[in-house]
């Protein structure tokens, strides 16, 4: 195992907050991001998952006879929790082999007249194949919700992701590019759908001083600790404690409560996000340039497959997502790198059916490609704090493991 660094690199490239961001100001965050992305008006919610829950609730009311929601079998557990909380049925779809997209044949087999929505996922900032989901959805009369939680700023043919489907959403959680610690943005092309989403939120999302106070304190902590010195305390030490007790799910933060909190986002957190958002386009350009510089080095390593975007798409690069030849060598690489402080991690630990705490939420299903993806993937942070020397250390370690 590599010796531990004096400082900790984050697993994802979040936009660091500055002291000036914490000053009061106008609560224009949703409008500012919409102007940056060139989208219709965005709806600010307390999390990406809350945004999904509002979307599902709205669609359930539009099509009450339909109950099934089709999701990739390898995605964030919060997606499954949102489907359950919306009172709907989860239908898993296996992935393409060695890829984050849903398998076209499996998707068609999963969808019928009972399908309410399909949720293609722009995983790790990579742009998903929404066209196939749209074709299947139109054939069976379902909706498409784009999960762009990890892809704020990603584009396809110069248009923001989230606008190809009927509804899309982004996350503003800690470490996901722009962050107000927890937040989400809903979008839809159709103004009638936007009005329905707003009415649903007005009805089911309460004001909560307690939740907003908690998130405000957490945002102050994020502002103070999201930097290499503070991340040892906030991220590195909890990670290593979880791994010592043999709990990788807790190590990556996949152990979520089974109830999604709903509350309004306060003016101060909106102002913090609006101040920081002025730096977001430049930050995303920096991450993209850094990724394009480093991807060729990874591709020269025999046995490493780097996931990239389809032609015409330009995703965001919070981290670099790799597939190694088998689980044994992936695990060997993690043994060397996961606790080293170099920003190497895993995205999600399991395919959805394999989380023990989701046994009452996710139906058992054979999803071999999703399980293979979970077994062979690892991530490398694309934070600007990852120096060329840090990155070369990771690459040499991968070469040694794979050699």
């Amino acid at each position: 195992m590599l010796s531990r660094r004096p400082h900790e690199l984050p697993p994802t490239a979040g936009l660091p907050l500055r002291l000036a961001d914490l000053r009061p100001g106008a609560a224009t965050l949703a409008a500012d991001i919409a102007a940056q992305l060139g989208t219709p008006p965005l709806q600010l919610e307390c999390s990406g998952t809350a945004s999904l829950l509002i979307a599902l609730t709205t669609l359930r009311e539009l099509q009450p006879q339909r109950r099934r929601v089709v999701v990739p079998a390898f995605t964030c557990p919060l997606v499954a929790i949102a489907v359950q909380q919306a009172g709907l049925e989860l239908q898993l779809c296996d992935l393409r082999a060695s890829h984050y997209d849903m398998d076209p044949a499996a998707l068609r087999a999963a969808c019928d007249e009972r399908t309410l929505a399909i949720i293609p996922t722009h995983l790790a900032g990579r742009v998903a194949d929404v066209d196939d989901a749209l074709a299947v959805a139109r054939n069976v009369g379902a909706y498409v919700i784009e999960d762009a939680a990890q892809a704020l700023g990603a584009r396809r043919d110069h248009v923001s992701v989230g606008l190809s489907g009927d509804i899309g959403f982004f996350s503003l959680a800690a470490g996901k590019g722009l962050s107000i610690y927890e937040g989400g943005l809903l979008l839809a092309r159709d103004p009638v759908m936007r009005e329905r989403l707003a009415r649903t939120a007005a009805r089911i999302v309460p004001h909560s001083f307690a939740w907003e106070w908690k998130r405000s304190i957490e945002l102050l902590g994020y502002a103070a600790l999201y930097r290499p010195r503070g991340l040892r305390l906030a991220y590195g030490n909890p990670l290593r404690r979880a791994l010592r007790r043999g709990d990788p799910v807790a190590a990556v933060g996949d152990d979520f409560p089974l109830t999604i909190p709903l509350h309004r986002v306060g003016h101060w957190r909106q102002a913090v996000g609006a101040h920081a958002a002025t730096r977001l386009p430049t930050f995303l350009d920096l991450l993209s340039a850094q990724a394009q510089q480093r991807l060729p080095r990874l591709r020269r390593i025999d046995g490493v497959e780097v996931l990239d975007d389809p032609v015409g798409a330009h995703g965001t690069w919070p981290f670099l997502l790799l597939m190694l030849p088998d689980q044994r060598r992936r695990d060997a690489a993690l043994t060397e790198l996961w606790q080293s402080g170099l920003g190497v991690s895993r995205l999600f630990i399991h395919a959805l059916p394999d989380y023990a705490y989701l046994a009452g939420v996710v139906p058992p299903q054979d999803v071999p490609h999703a399980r293979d993806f979970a077994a062979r993937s690892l991530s490398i942070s694309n934070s600007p704090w990852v120096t060329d020397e840090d990155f070369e250390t990771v690459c040499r370690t991968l070469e040694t493991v794979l050699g």
Side-chain angles (χ1 to χ4, degrees):
M1 184 183 299
L2 294 173
S3 60
R4 198 180 307 172
R5 295 162 44 89
H7 302 140
E8 191 87 26
L9 296 175
T12 65
L15 176 66
L17 293 177
R18 297 175 178 173
L19 183 61
D21 296 333
L22 305 180
R23 70 189 190 278
T28 58
L29 176 57
D32 292 351
I33 296 299
Q36 285 184 13
L37 300 181
T39 66
L42 296 170
Q43 181 174 319
L44 179 66
E45 299 299 338
C46 64
S47 68
T49 317
S51 301
L52 174 58
L53 178 57
I54 290 164
L56 291 171
T57 302
T58 302
L59 298 184
R60 185 193 67 193
E61 293 168 355
L62 287 172
Q63 296 276 5
Q65 75 280 9
R66 292 173 178 257
R67 309 293 294 175
R68 289 191 175 176
V69 180
V70 178
V71 310
F74 183 82
T75 194
C76 181
L78 285 169
V79 173
I81 294 169
V83 171
Q84 183 191 54
Q85 190 162 329
L88 298 167
E89 300 173 12
L90 189 72
Q91 175 67 52
L92 302 181
C93 180
D94 204 5
L95 306 184
R96 289 170 45 194
S98 302
H99 203 273
Y100 53 87
D101 273 331
M102 291 182 281
D103 177 77
L107 181 58
R108 282 154 179 80
C111 295
D112 56 24
E113 70 280 356
R114 295 167 293 182
T115 304
L116 174 66
I118 303 170
I119 307 183
T121 302
H122 301 290
L123 194 72
R126 311 279 50 79
V127 177
D129 182 2
V130 179
D131 285 347
D132 193 53
L134 284 168
V136 176
R138 298 303 177 251
N139 189 51
V140 301
Y143 297 95
V144 170
I145 302 173
E146 289 184 60
D147 180 349
Q150 299 178 350
L152 177 64
R155 296 181 180 274
R156 181 187 173 207
D157 297 327
H158 308 290
V159 176
S160 173
V161 298
L163 289 174
S164 297
D166 300 286
I167 301 172
F169 67 94
F170 303 107
S171 173
L172 303 177
K176 286 185 179 166
L178 180 67
S179 178
I180 54 173
Y181 196 82
E182 281 289 354
L185 293 165
L186 262 171
L187 70 161
R189 296 186 318 273
D190 179 28
V192 175
M193 181 63 77
R194 291 199 298 274
E195 175 60 27
R196 286 170 172 154
L197 293 169
R199 287 204 304 265
T200 299
R203 188 179 75 251
I204 71 172
V205 179
H207 290 280
S208 172
F209 175 80
W211 268 111
E212 189 56 22
W213 177 254
K214 173 180 169 63
R215 294 299 188 225
S216 296
I217 296 299
E218 289 169 332
L219 180 58
L220 288 172
Y222 178 78
L225 297 176
Y226 191 78
R227 55 202 72 250
R229 289 185 182 275
L231 280 164
R232 173 55 54 87
L233 175 65
Y235 166 71
N237 290 342
L239 164 75
R240 282 177 275 275
R241 284 196 297 270
L243 290 177
R244 280 197 299 270
R245 65 176 184 265
D247 190 352
V249 172
V252 301
D254 279 358
D255 49 345
F256 299 105
L258 295 181
T259 301
I260 298 161
L262 293 173
H263 60 96
R264 306 288 175 88
V265 178
H267 280 68
W268 176 71
R269 284 203 298 138
Q270 292 187 52
V272 172
H275 295 319
T278 60
R279 304 191 302 278
L280 182 63
T282 300
F283 183 72
L284 293 178
D285 288 345
L286 171 66
L287 298 186
S288 179
Q290 180 169 274
Q292 297 310 315
Q293 177 188 1
R294 291 178 173 176
L295 289 174
R297 173 69 177 93
L298 286 170
R299 292 187 177 117
R300 291 197 299 270
I301 304 173
D302 287 340
V304 168
E305 180 182 356
V306 185
L307 296 179
D308 206 340
D309 296 313
V311 174
H314 301 278
T316 57
W317 293 95
F319 48 88
L320 313 176
L321 190 57
L322 317 182
M323 298 288 286
L324 298 193
D326 51 56
Q327 182 173 1
R328 179 184 62 80
R329 282 178 280 188
R330 193 285 307 273
D331 289 349
L334 287 173
T335 297
E336 294 294 323
L337 293 167
W338 203 354
Q339 300 185 52
S340 67
L342 287 166
V344 174
S345 187
R346 293 173 65 178
L347 181 47
F348 306 122
I349 296 299
H350 299 302
L352 284 180
D354 300 330
Y355 288 94
Y357 78 98
L358 293 180
V361 176
V362 179
Q365 188 173 325
D366 186 23
V367 284
H369 291 157
R371 287 182 167 125
D372 178 67
F373 198 99
R376 295 197 291 119
S377 58
L378 63 78
S379 62
I380 303 173
S381 176
N382 193 40
S383 168
W385 292 320
V386 179
T387 67
D388 290 342
E389 181 181 357
D390 296 329
F391 183 70
E392 183 59 27
T393 298
V394 172
C395 290
R396 288 198 302 267
T397 302
L398 291 174
E399 287 174 329
T400 298
V401 168
L402 295 174

